[in-house]
Each structure stands twice: as structure tokens, then as C-alpha cells.
Amino acid sequence: MTGFQTVQVERLADYVQLVSDLFADVPSGLVVPLRGQAAPWPLMSALGRFVLDTTGDEARARQACCERELKMLRHFQEAARPWTADRPDSDIQWLMLAQHHGLPTRLLDWTSNPLVALYFAVDHHVPSEPTPPPGIVWIANPPTEPLAFGHELHDWSLERLQRLQRGEPLEDAPHLGAVDLAQRPYVFVTAPTFSPRIPAQCALFSLHLDPLETLDSHQGALSTRIEVPDAAKDAIRRELADVAGLTPQTLYPGLEGLAATVKQRWR
């Protein structure tokens, strides 16, 4: 029970045409979230994958998830002080910042730019036998309500979100922006521009009530799964650089992105 279609593309032009056709009927003003992956991994949060890997099974992972999440975020908040002149003003924003720098959180990274999503699908190869897997671009069904903004979530502590996850009653309605998390287990949110990478990647996040659930298991959450064969990745990546100017340097502003771009150029 998935509700999404699967399409394969091998050329940038075919991808652009497909996305144009898919977006033709999207009402003006609605944002369509897309996510590029180098392989067809399940759409589970990094926190969910982390606790499953470190505990060994789902039952222990569920027991450890909230405590591990809270301790990691509080550790990150305390230790990040020297590097956060413009500090986030809520736990939700701290989760966004931590996710952006590699800490496992209950968020998933998305973009509103179809070419950025394609870039992340073709950016590298994943070794596998007998054949390497395809890159994947997931296209979510556009939310029918406006996206929640990070600054609207200032009163949401991580403890409060975890209470809702455990089914405990809250003193007020459990809303994130315009979305009721008691009725819908995830919400797409925009991020404050705390890093040049956020606007460069047109970044969005999905915030998940249950970090161990996969988004692709929710009926109606996704509209399309686009597969890019491994053999087509290099040509599409070069074309994205030549035609759209998408390189590590543009998506990761700074010396790290510059070094990666130079490395690609002379590969």
C-alpha cells in the first residue's frame, strides 16, 4: 500500500520534462517537496536508523529512542555554543541545525528545487552486488496547507514533542503551524537561514512524530519515485554542472564545496 508511481529516467532532458508534467496541475503557491538519494533507502529519519543500528532491534530501539534523542540534542546545544553566534530559539530549530551538520534527528532533508533533488540522487555511486542501485528522487504530494515555518515553532520543546509521540495528553492542541500532528504523523517545515547551505539547496525538512516510521509506508504521502540507473549518474551530474551550474561549490558554499568541485573537475 504505497500510492506512488515509479518512473525511470536516464537523461536530464527527460527528467525536466517529467517533472514539468507532474507539476503542471499543482496550484500556485504550494511547495512540492523532493528528496534525492543515491540509493533506494527507506524514508526513515537518521535518528530511527541510528537507534536501530545501535540497539539491534525495533523493540529496544523504541525504548531507547526518546532518551537518546534528548541527550544527543542537549549535548549538541551545549557544545555548539562557540560556533553559533545566531543561536536557534527553539528545540525544533536546534534539530534543524543539528540535522544539517550530521547529527541523527527525527527530521528528513528535502528540497523545493527539482534539480537539487536530482543532484543528490546522482552525486555518488553506491557499491553493491551484482549491480549498483539506482539513484532515487522522491516527490511528495504537496501539502494542502501552507508549510510550517521554523519561527512558528518557538514554543515546541523536544520534551513536548516526545510526550505527543508517546500519546500523553497535552495541555493545549498539538499543532505545528497549520498541521495537527495528532492526526498526521509528519509535517513539512521550512528552515531559518542559519547556514548558506539552506538557501543554496532550497532546503526543507519533514518532522516525524515517530522517528522509526518510514514515510514511504504512509498512503498518500508520496506521488512519484523517479529512478536514475547507476550507469546514467555521471553523465547527468556533468550536465547539471554544465547547464544548471549545480556543483558542490554552489550547494555547499565555502572551502569544502570548492575543494569537492575542484576534485570532481580533475577526476
Side-chain angles (χ1 to χ4, degrees):
M1 186 175 69
T2 58
F4 57 81
Q5 63 173 328
T6 298
V7 185
Q8 185 179 100
V9 298
E10 299 184 18
R11 300 188 310 138
L12 176 58
D14 295 336
Y15 176 83
V16 171
Q17 184 61 58
L18 173 62
V19 171
S20 297
D21 293 343
L22 292 173
F23 284 21
D25 296 327
V26 175
S28 176
L30 286 187
V31 174
V32 180
L34 305 96
R35 175 177 169 84
Q37 302 182 167
W41 300 303
L43 291 176
M44 179 184 290
S45 72
L47 175 65
R49 298 192 303 270
F50 179 74
V51 293
L52 281 173
D53 289 344
T54 55
T55 59
D57 65 60
E58 183 174 346
R60 286 200 292 264
R62 290 196 176 280
Q63 291 178 346
C65 186
C66 286
E67 180 182 8
R68 190 84 57 88
E69 177 186 34
L70 188 60
K71 288 182 176 179
M72 286 195 302
L73 183 64
R74 297 295 179 245
H75 185 173
F76 181 84
Q77 287 173 309
E78 183 64 29
R81 291 179 185 273
W83 298 282
T84 51
D86 298 323
R87 300 181 64 198
D89 59 11
S90 72
D91 278 355
I92 303 299
Q93 290 186 20
W94 272 107
L95 285 175
M96 293 176 180
L97 180 63
Q99 169 80 10
H100 199 61
H101 289 280
L103 188 73
T105 77
R106 64 175 64 225
L107 303 174
L108 270 178
D109 298 288
W110 297 76
T111 178
S112 59
N113 187 321
L115 295 182
V116 171
L118 180 61
Y119 175 89
F120 287 118
V122 303
D123 182 38
H124 66 276
H125 302 274
V126 178
S128 181
E129 296 295 340
T131 58
I136 303 294
V137 173
W138 286 104
I139 303 179
N141 281 311
T144 56
E145 65 285 325
L147 292 180
F149 288 89
H151 65 78
E152 295 175 337
L153 314 181
H154 62 275
D155 60 338
W156 273 81
S157 67
L158 183 55
E159 290 91 343
R160 189 164 178 248
L161 186 62
Q162 290 182 346
R163 286 176 57 198
L164 182 60
Q165 176 185 343
R166 292 190 293 265
E168 299 175 8
L170 296 177
E171 65 279 5
D172 53 2
H175 283 267
L176 285 175
V179 179
D180 187 347
L181 273 179
Q183 303 298 322
R184 180 177 178 181
Y186 63 93
V187 56
F188 287 102
V189 296
T190 62
T193 307
F194 48 69
S195 164
R197 296 181 182 183
I198 295 293
Q201 299 174 13
C202 302
L204 308 170
F205 297 100
S206 53
L207 172 65
H208 298 261
L209 186 60
D210 183 350
L212 276 77
E213 280 194 353
T214 58
L215 189 61
D216 38 320
S217 68
H218 287 287
Q219 181 74 12
L222 304 163
S223 70
T224 308
R225 167 180 148 146
I226 302 175
E227 297 184 354
V228 182
D230 182 78
K233 285 183 176 182
D234 290 344
I236 291 177
R237 185 176 63 246
R238 287 192 295 268
E239 197 171 2
L240 282 171
D242 295 341
V243 176
L246 288 181
T247 67
Q249 185 177 357
T250 57
L251 294 174
Y252 301 97
L255 293 177
E256 180 183 351
L258 172 60
T261 299
V262 172
K263 181 180 178 181
Q264 276 191 1
R265 169 65 177 82
W266 293 99
R267 179 178 295 172

